Amino acid sequence: MKQAHSCEHSVAGTAVPGGRHEKTVPHMRGPRGRATPESKAQSVLTQELRRQRNMVSRMSDTDREVSLVLDILRELTRDPAFVALMNTRGFIKLPRLLRERLTGRPR
C-alpha cells in the first residue's frame, strides 16, 4: 500500500501525538511544492465542518434565548395585573403564533 506522506495531521480538532489539538490541516505539498488536490479538499472540508459547528452553536444559543423569553411571557400572562395592563393598552388577544408557542398547542 502506498503511503502518501509521513507528516501527521489532525482533522477537525482531533488529538494528535503530543497531546495538543490541531484545528487546521496544513496543505501537503506535491512533488513541485504545490498543495495537492487532496489537501485542498481536506482543507475545504475542515473549514465547512468548522462553519457548521459554529452555526449549530449559534442555533443552540438562539434556542435557549427563545426558551427564556417564552418562559418569561408565560409567567407574565399568568399575572392578572399584567393582563389587565395589557388590556387597557389595547392588547386584548395574543397573536395566534405567539399563543401557540406559549401554550404548546395549535388552536
Side-chain angles (χ1 to χ4, degrees), residues 66-79 82-83 86 94 98-99 101-102:
V66 167
S67 293
L68 177 64
V69 169
L70 288 173
D71 288 343
I72 291 168
L73 279 173
R74 280 187 196 103
E75 190 173 328
L76 285 171
T77 55
R78 286 187 217 120
D79 182 2
F82 177 77
V83 173
M86 296 303 287
L94 286 174
L98 180 57
R99 185 181 65 240
R101 286 293 295 264
L102 290 173

Side-chain angles (χ1 to χ4, degrees), residues 13-33:
T14 55
V16 293
R20 67 184 194 283
H21 277 59
E22 193 66 41
K23 294 289 184 184
T24 59
V25 178
H27 287 296
M28 291 186 197
R29 302 293 172 184
R32 294 186 179 163

